[in-house]
Amino acid sequence: MFLIDRDHNTITELDQRSFSELGFRERDHLQEWIAKNPSCLGEELLIIQKEFAGFDETRERLDLLALDKAGNLVVIENKLDDSGRDVVWQALKYASYCSSLTTEHIRRVYQEYLGPDLSAEELLAEFFDQEYEDLNLNPGYAQRLILIAANFRKEVTSTVMWLLNHGITVHCFRVTPYAHGESLYLNVEQIIPIRDAEEFMIGMAEKAHLEQDAKSGLASRHKLRRAFWTAFLDAAHARKVALYSGRNTPSTDNWLSAGSGISGIQYLVRITGSYLGVELNINAGTSEHNTRYFE
């Protein structure tokens, strides 16, 4: 990072420093900076609690709990000069703990954070620009994770990329302090997903997820159809149905054919998710033949 000197039309490189050498601490400094100015993370967030410990039968505390403009809970975990190995696991645990929080739970958590002089209902209504009674906060499994550190270990970034590809919304921000004389500066940079490619990366992950779902659904349908036609043929053979006397191989299609004894004419039994039908297909080669057979 460089400082621009307009008077001399030059730039001066700032000194990159570490939080530890500057005497900054995670809870007393980094956490407070973000709590007081969450827009440094590139979006409108409403901080609703610090050091949240409202988890049954645990003594764990998440650093910051926030809401985004869509009403999703955002778990924010801060580390100083190194992310550590377990930050993703910690954040995932906290997100799972928070997944059951209702709108009323969230209001109470926020009210505790605000104290008696402010109204959580009023501030929530103001943030979302709608009546409090109409709010639906923390819907489904849309909890998000934000990880903040000066350096991220490879095992952390690898896990985060895997989670992104599986539909878990995770953002990593690298925070770097700089010094110039007596002045200190903080650079907050989103590194995962890269901001300019964020929409593309999320879109590709969603596409891959939909394709995987489609493949799984197709395989599941094939198995279900094969099981159905196996039972169908067993029943037909037990009842000595002549149409299927020579048919022993079940199908994975949604239809099963049987010859009529006349070339170009066959019976079909067809199944779908909602009905079963019997068809007679006539394709004797010419319209005259087809008409005569039909009549």
Side-chain angles (χ1 to χ4, degrees):
M1 182 176 288
F2 292 82
L3 181 68
I4 299 174
D5 185 336
R6 287 180 177 270
D7 295 333
H8 298 91
N9 197 26
T10 60
I11 57 175
T12 302
E13 185 173 7
L14 302 181
D15 296 326
Q16 182 174 333
R17 308 291 291 275
S18 70
F19 290 109
S20 56
E21 69 175 294
L22 292 172
F24 290 128
R25 294 183 294 276
E26 179 183 310
R27 183 177 300 179
D28 295 335
H29 298 103
L30 182 59
Q31 181 172 292
E32 287 297 315
W33 300 338
I34 296 167
K36 292 174 181 176
N37 192 3
S39 62
C40 69
L41 301 176
E43 62 178 302
E44 288 188 75
L45 294 172
L46 181 67
I47 303 297
I48 63 171
Q49 191 55 271
K50 294 187 293 187
E51 296 297 315
F52 180 59
F55 310 130
D56 293 338
E57 300 178 1
T58 77
R59 296 182 178 179
E60 296 175 289
R61 295 173 177 267
L62 65 83
D63 293 337
L64 292 170
L65 187 61
L67 288 165
D68 67 16
K69 278 293 189 178
N72 302 315
L73 280 178
V74 184
V75 172
I76 303 173
E77 276 300 293
N78 310 305
K79 303 297 178 185
L80 279 180
D81 294 318
D82 186 277
S83 65
R85 294 186 176 90
D86 300 325
V87 63
V88 179
W89 168 237
Q90 283 181 305
L92 285 171
K93 282 194 298 181
Y94 299 151
S96 72
Y97 297 158
C98 291
S99 63
S100 62
L101 294 181
T102 65
T103 300
E104 176 56 20
H105 288 145
I106 291 169
R107 185 201 65 79
R108 293 203 300 264
V109 168
Y110 189 29
Q111 188 62 64
E112 181 183 348
Y113 176 65
L114 292 172
D117 298 330
L118 296 172
S119 168
E121 285 191 18
E122 291 179 4
L123 291 179
L124 286 168
E126 179 182 338
F127 181 75
F128 291 105
D129 194 24
Q130 58 180 298
E131 297 296 327
Y132 173 77
E133 292 75 14
D134 297 331
L135 294 179
N136 179 28
L137 305 179
N138 195 27
Y141 294 97
Q143 297 79 34
R144 297 173 48 201
L145 310 178
I146 292 180
L147 310 180
I148 302 169
N151 294 291
F152 285 89
R153 300 192 183 193
K154 184 176 181 180
E155 56 263 46
V156 172
T157 56
S158 175
T159 305
V160 166
M161 294 300 295
W162 186 88
L163 289 171
L164 278 170
N165 288 332
H166 285 76
I168 307 299
T169 305
V170 191
H171 290 76
C172 291
F173 286 84
R174 181 165 55 212
V175 285
T176 309
Y178 290 89
H180 181 69
E182 296 298 318
S183 299
L184 297 177
Y185 304 87
L186 182 70
N187 185 45
V188 182
E189 177 187 10
Q190 180 177 314
I191 60 170
I192 299 177
I194 299 173
R195 192 175 293 280
D196 291 342
E198 180 174 357
E199 185 175 343
F200 173 77
M201 291 179 66
I202 293 174
M204 289 299 293
E206 290 177 350
K207 177 176 180 289
H209 191 65
L210 289 173
E211 289 175 348
Q212 185 60 42
D213 284 349
K215 289 180 181 178
S216 298
L218 187 62
S220 178
R221 290 197 297 275
H222 284 173
K223 291 177 181 177
L224 187 60
R225 290 170 184 167
R226 184 181 293 276
F228 178 87
W229 293 126
T230 297
F232 179 93
L233 290 173
D234 289 344
H237 295 156
R239 289 165 174 75
K240 302 186 185 309
V241 178
L243 283 173
Y244 296 100
S245 60
R247 181 68 185 263
N248 296 304
T249 305
S251 173
T252 57
D253 296 317
N254 72 332
W255 53 269
L256 193 69
S257 64
S260 66
I262 302 174
S263 178
I265 298 179
Q266 63 176 351
Y267 297 101
L268 288 179
V269 178
R270 188 181 300 277
I271 57 170
T272 72
S274 57
Y275 70 87
L276 179 145
V278 179
E279 303 174 7
L280 178 65
N281 287 350
I282 302 174
N283 186 18
T286 66
S287 58
E288 292 81 5
H289 283 94
N290 291 340
T291 300
R292 186 171 73 251
Y293 282 129
F294 177 79
E295 292 175 347

